[in-house]
């Protein structure tokens, strides 16, 4: 009898252990699939109902769901946010209004299994980059600097790679998705950033982000192309350095001009090195510049 009781107790303990492990695994999987749905900062004042519908659509795509219920009178705003702000949109073949107008049907380019695998791979890479950039360990300004320099040192230019998703997956891309990646990572870190266009700039599409309490232009492509990430010529630029004076957001509204010259010396930067909470920059005109972080 004692042997039987001991055996039952042992079995209960084993089942409990496996059950606990299963719960832990499920929790880890749930945490892994919970991603920040970011919004280009220019659109942060968009109607709340449209933002909620956009977030529902994004979460559905992450999960590979085929239908999303929301008020379709919001469809234009939702589509604008989805194709402007969400890097997984290239996995979607089409978004069509349901016959009963209760929401939309989402058709994917890949099989269910492949779709979920690609989503997981993308977010794994994003999480790896965030960790490399010390997300959660440094303040927001330092994180932005780390994101910029990570991209300039680890990504290359390739005009055949046209989306942020493919740029992340392949480690290379056209100028626009490289800048979009910079913005996305800044937003993922809790910062503010936007995608902007210039009619009269040679680069055409660059980033706009808040750094040390002020807005500047950022173009990591300049440093990828010209110095393999060794300098900071495209970091925290004003209108003059960015080569344009007619910047617009993706909805064609104008961008406030950037006249601040705090980081003007970086246009002549040649090398930089980290020194604790400081960045020592060597400039080509025999001068130096220091960026300090709190």
């Amino acid at each position: 009898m004692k042997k039987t009781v001991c055996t039952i107790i042992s079995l209960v303990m084993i089942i409990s252990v496996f059950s606990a492990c299963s719960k832990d695994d499920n929790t880890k999987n749930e945490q892994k699939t919970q991603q920040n749905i970011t919004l280009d900062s220019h659109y942060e004042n968009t109607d709340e109902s449209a933002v909620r519908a956009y977030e529902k659509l994004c979460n559905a795509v992450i999960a590979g769901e085929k239908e999303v219920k929301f008020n379709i009178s919001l469809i234009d705003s939702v589509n604008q946010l989805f194709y402007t702000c969400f890097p997984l949109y290239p996995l979607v073949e089409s978004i069509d209004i349901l016959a009963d107008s209760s929401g939309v049907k989402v058709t994917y380019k890949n099989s269910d299994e492949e779709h979920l695998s690609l989503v997981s791979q993308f977010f794994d890479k994003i999480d790896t980059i965030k960790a490399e950039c010390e997300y959660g360990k440094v303040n927001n300004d330092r994180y932005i600097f780390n994101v910029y320099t990570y991209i300039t040192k680890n990504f290359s230019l390739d005009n055949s790679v046209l989306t942020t998703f493919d740029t992340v997956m392949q480690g290379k891309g056209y100028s626009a998705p490289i800048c979009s990646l910079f913005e996305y990572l800044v937003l993922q870190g809790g910062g503010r950033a936007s995608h902007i266009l210039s009619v009269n700039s040679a680069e055409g599409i660059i980033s706009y982000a808040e750094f040390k309490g002020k807005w500047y232009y950022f173009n990591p492509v300049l440093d990828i192309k010209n110095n393999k990430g060794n300098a900071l010529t495209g970091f925290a630029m004003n209108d003059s350095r960015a080569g344009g004076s007619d910047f617009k957001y993706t909805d064609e509204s104008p961008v406030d001009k950037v006249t601040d010259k705090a980081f003007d010396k970086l246009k002549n930067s040649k090398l930089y090195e980290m020194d604790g909470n400081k960045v020592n920059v060597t400039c080509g005109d025999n001068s130096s510049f220091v960026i300090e972080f709190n």
Side-chain angles (χ1 to χ4, degrees):
M1 178 69 177
K2 288 182 178 178
K3 185 176 180 181
T4 303
V5 171
C6 289
T7 302
I8 292 172
I9 292 173
S10 298
L11 286 171
V12 170
M13 290 179 67
I14 291 170
I15 291 169
S16 298
V17 169
F18 278 112
S19 176
C21 290
S22 177
K23 287 180 180 178
D24 287 344
D25 289 341
N26 288 337
T27 300
K28 288 177 182 177
N29 288 336
E30 287 174 6
Q31 290 174 344
K32 186 176 180 180
T33 57
Q34 289 177 352
Q35 300 295 332
N36 296 326
I37 305 301
T38 57
L39 208 61
D40 181 306
S41 295
H42 176 60
Y43 298 97
E44 58 191 15
N45 293 320
T46 299
D47 178 78
E48 189 176 337
S49 297
V51 173
R52 285 199 302 268
Y54 157 72
E55 290 172 344
K56 285 184 69 175
L57 177 58
C58 294
N59 282 315
V61 171
I62 290 172
E65 296 171 359
K66 308 290 175 59
E67 289 188 1
V68 190
K69 303 289 187 177
F70 63 81
N71 183 347
I72 61 165
S73 68
L74 303 169
I75 191 66
D76 288 342
S77 294
V78 171
N79 279 338
Q80 182 180 49
L81 295 178
F82 184 75
Y83 290 106
T84 300
C85 309
F86 190 55
L88 294 182
Y89 81 81
L91 298 179
V92 174
E93 182 67 42
S94 63
I95 297 173
D96 302 296
I97 296 173
L98 292 169
D100 63 0
S101 298
S102 62
V104 296
K105 173 186 176 183
V106 184
T107 304
Y108 298 100
K109 293 180 179 178
N110 302 292
S111 68
D112 292 353
E113 183 177 357
E114 186 177 1
H115 174 81
L116 293 177
S117 175
L118 289 170
V119 170
S120 179
Q121 290 175 49
F122 175 84
F123 285 124
D124 282 348
K125 288 180 181 291
I126 292 296
D127 286 342
T128 296
I129 296 172
K130 287 171 68 177
E132 289 287 333
C133 295
E134 299 183 282
Y135 170 67
K137 297 180 180 180
V138 296
N139 66 27
N140 191 58
D141 291 326
R142 176 64 181 270
Y143 173 73
I144 290 171
F145 177 84
N146 291 349
V147 165
Y148 183 92
T149 54
Y150 180 93
I151 290 174
T152 60
K153 287 184 176 295
N154 292 279
F155 284 79
S156 59
L157 279 172
D158 186 328
N159 291 339
S160 69
V161 181
L162 304 178
T163 70
T164 306
F165 174 82
D166 289 319
T167 294
V168 170
M169 301 297 279
Q170 298 181 37
K172 59 184 180 179
Y174 176 58
S175 59
I178 286 177
C179 286
S180 288
L181 175 58
F182 169 74
E183 297 147 25
Y184 181 69
L185 289 166
V186 169
L187 293 166
Q188 283 285 317
R192 301 176 72 202
S194 294
H195 204 51
I196 60 171
L197 308 91
S198 174
V199 175
N200 58 5
S201 169
E203 295 301 326
I205 298 174
I206 59 175
S207 299
Y208 191 51
E210 190 175 31
F211 180 71
K212 287 185 171 287
K214 296 182 179 180
W215 286 84
Y216 298 96
Y217 306 114
F218 292 81
N219 189 358
V221 175
L222 289 179
D223 290 303
I224 294 173
K225 182 169 57 177
N226 297 330
N227 56 68
K228 298 182 179 178
N230 289 315
L232 300 166
T233 60
F235 188 86
M237 301 182 292
N238 55 23
D239 284 276
S240 177
R241 281 177 61 203
S245 59
D246 188 25
F247 289 103
K248 295 181 178 180
Y249 292 104
T250 52
D251 64 357
E252 296 292 310
S253 60
V255 176
D256 290 339
K257 292 185 179 301
V258 180
T259 57
D260 184 86
K261 297 181 178 181
F263 300 97
D264 249 19
K265 277 196 171 184
L266 294 179
K267 66 184 175 184
N268 296 315
S269 61
K270 295 296 181 183
L271 295 169
Y272 69 88
E273 59 179 12
M274 302 301 305
D275 180 16
N277 287 327
K278 296 191 302 183
V279 183
N280 296 318
V281 185
T282 302
C283 302
D285 54 0
N286 295 317
S287 66
S288 61
F289 185 78
V290 178
I291 304 174
E292 294 191 62
F293 301 101
N294 296 327

